[in-house]
Amino acid sequence: MSVKQISTDQAPRPAGHYAQGTVAGNMLFISGQLPIRPDGTGLMREDFETQAEQAIANVLGILEAAGGTQADLARVTVYIVGVENWGHFNEVYAKLMPDAVPARTVVPVPELHYGYSVEIDAIAMLPG
């Protein structure tokens, strides 16, 4: 079994030596997605909800590029700056990902790279 890299213009290009996502068998591993638009514009000065929406959009763009849907998500890990943003994240997540009910972990952290407020990674089981 080989590992296939996933690349899409629906999410920002990697800023380092990693893939947006990789597929091994029928498992998709999505690298941590910050609130950066696909064109590379960072949203670190935007409010938490706007940042969460963009990070989720990036995850979904990579998921779709690999042939998956929200329902295929098996595990999502979310890093948020400030435990007070947990409820805000839940609201945005439920609104944008109504078909996704995977196992999930939310990890409050003191800070994220470049001053962002949220980062999301995920694992999905692709059809077929």
Side-chain angles (χ1 to χ4, degrees), residues 11-52:
R13 297 179 59 83
H17 189 68
Y18 61 92
Q20 290 171 321
T22 57
V23 175
N26 67 336
M27 294 184 69
L28 168 65
F29 301 89
I30 299 174
S31 292
Q33 295 299 303
L34 292 165
I36 301 171
R37 291 189 179 125
D39 68 5
T41 303
L43 303 181
M44 72 282 284
R45 290 184 178 88
E46 299 294 330
D47 63 28
F48 180 85
E49 289 82 0
T50 300
Q51 290 191 41

Side-chain angles (χ1 to χ4, degrees), residues 1 19 36 64 66 68 83 87 90 95 112 119:
M1 172 175 42
I36 301 171
E64 291 168 11
V83 71
N90 281 336
K95 178 179 76 171
L112 289 168
E119 182 172 1

Side-chain angles (χ1 to χ4, degrees), residues 2-85:
S2 63
V3 175
K4 175 185 169 189
Q5 291 186 4
I6 300 299
S7 181
T8 178
D9 60 3
Q10 298 303 306
R13 297 179 59 83
H17 189 68
Y18 61 92
Q20 290 171 321
T22 57
V23 175
N26 67 336
M27 294 184 69
L28 168 65
F29 301 89
I30 299 174
S31 292
Q33 295 299 303
L34 292 165
I36 301 171
R37 291 189 179 125
D39 68 5
T41 303
L43 303 181
M44 72 282 284
R45 290 184 178 88
E46 299 294 330
D47 63 28
F48 180 85
E49 289 82 0
T50 300
Q51 290 191 41
E53 288 170 359
Q54 186 61 59
I56 290 169
N58 295 342
V59 167
L60 294 178
I62 296 164
L63 177 63
E64 291 168 11
T69 69
Q70 294 179 22
D72 298 318
L73 287 167
R75 174 110 176 109
V76 173
T77 304
V78 183
Y79 304 91
I80 59 171
V81 174
V83 71
E84 66 276 3
N85 284 316

